């Protein structure tokens, strides 16, 4: 699927409001992730990874390919594309970037820029076992259904935070990844059946 076909099938709504006018705290660690949309068997799928259990930060969690912004990266888009190439073997020239969403700030200290891109051609997965235990896809049509996305509020250090959740098959997608998927879904309006 190319961008023209994507635009025929979806209307990417402009952001209704800025979630927070406050500038992120300088101590937040800057990162970027790729929300990669891939057409498989006639259906758009979102590419997700599961982090290995041996990692110190967020072991076993489901996430998008991505990571810390390095000084050598030209911008957040460059980071997301580099990380996807390193983590799952998705070459940057095989991604057509649609754009970015505003940075997502986590209460664990990250300032994450979601980069949305269409994957142009099928590719062979090459997983970096130090970063990725597994790579799988989630049908966009499934996550677009509002009943599959929900959030609860949890108390942390005297303050309540919203935490997003998506159950898919035997998997639980939660936290920043589920919040970014929710954000994507709220800004996509299908113009035809997906």
């Amino acid at each position: 699927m190319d961008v023209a076909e994507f635009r025929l099938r979806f209307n990417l709504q402009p952001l209704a409001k800025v979630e927070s006018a406050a500038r992120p705290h300088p101590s937040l660690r800057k990162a970027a992730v790729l929300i990669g949309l891939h057409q498989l068997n006639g259906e758009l799928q979102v590419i997700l990874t599961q982090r290995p259990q041996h990692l110190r930060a967020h072991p076993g969690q489901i996430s998008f390919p991505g990571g810390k912004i390095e000084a050598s990266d030209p911008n957040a888009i460059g980071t997301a594309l580099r990380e996807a190439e390193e983590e799952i073997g998705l070459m940057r020239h095989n991604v057509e970037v649609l754009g970015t969403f505003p940075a997502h700030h986590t209460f664990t200290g990250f300032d994450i820029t979601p980069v949305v891109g269409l994957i142009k051609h099928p590719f062979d997965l090459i997983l970096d076992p130090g970063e990725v235990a597994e790579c799988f896809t989630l049908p966009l049509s499934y996550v677009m259904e509002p009943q599959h996305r929900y959030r609860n509020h949890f108390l942390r250090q005297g303050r309540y935070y919203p935490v997003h959740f998506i159950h898919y098959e035997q998997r639980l997608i939660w936290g920043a990844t589920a919040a970014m998927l929710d954000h994507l879904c709220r800004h996509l309006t299908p113009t035809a059946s997906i």
Side-chain angles (χ1 to χ4, degrees):
M1 169 178 293
D2 63 12
V3 171
E5 185 180 349
F6 183 84
R7 291 191 195 287
L8 283 175
R9 292 175 72 182
F10 293 96
N11 177 26
L12 184 59
Q13 297 295 319
L15 298 176
K17 63 177 180 172
V18 175
E19 303 267 337
S20 170
R23 296 183 63 85
H25 192 277
S27 68
L28 290 178
R29 293 167 282 179
K30 301 219 179 287
V33 296
L34 177 66
I35 302 177
L37 302 172
H38 191 28
Q39 187 161 11
L40 295 170
N41 302 320
E43 184 172 13
L44 276 175
Q45 305 274 334
V46 180
I47 293 181
L48 294 166
T49 62
Q50 183 160 8
R51 295 169 60 81
Q53 292 293 338
H54 72 266
L55 293 178
R56 188 172 58 88
H58 310 292
Q61 285 188 7
I62 293 172
S63 61
F64 297 109
K68 182 179 137 190
I69 294 178
E70 303 288 349
S72 58
D73 293 329
N75 51 34
I77 293 171
T79 298
L81 296 177
R82 175 183 55 76
E83 288 282 347
E85 192 170 314
E86 293 172 1
E87 290 181 6
I88 64 171
L90 174 58
M91 304 304 284
R92 59 191 82 201
H93 65 267
N94 195 16
V95 179
E96 189 158 356
V97 174
L98 295 174
T100 63
F101 281 124
H104 179 84
H105 307 141
T106 70
F107 57 76
T108 56
F110 288 92
D111 178 35
I112 306 169
T113 299
V115 177
V116 182
L118 291 174
I119 297 162
K120 298 186 237 181
H121 307 288
F123 68 101
D124 294 325
L125 284 173
I126 303 170
L127 303 185
D128 175 353
E131 298 280 340
V132 178
E134 186 181 358
C135 184
F136 66 97
T137 60
L138 169 70
L140 183 60
S141 60
Y142 177 89
V143 77
M144 287 282 290
E145 295 292 331
Q147 70 268 23
H148 296 141
R149 308 185 314 267
Y150 66 96
R151 71 180 184 174
N152 286 327
H153 287 80
F154 291 91
L155 183 64
R156 180 183 167 106
Q157 299 176 346
R159 186 172 168 196
Y160 281 95
Y161 292 91
V163 179
H164 293 258
F165 297 89
I166 299 167
H167 284 274
Y168 175 64
E169 295 179 343
Q170 304 296 349
R171 303 179 192 275
L172 175 63
I173 304 161
W174 66 281
T177 302
M180 287 183 263
L181 279 169
D182 180 69
H183 191 87
L184 172 70
C185 291
R186 287 184 292 112
H187 290 90
L188 286 178
T189 303
T191 57
S193 175
I194 58 170

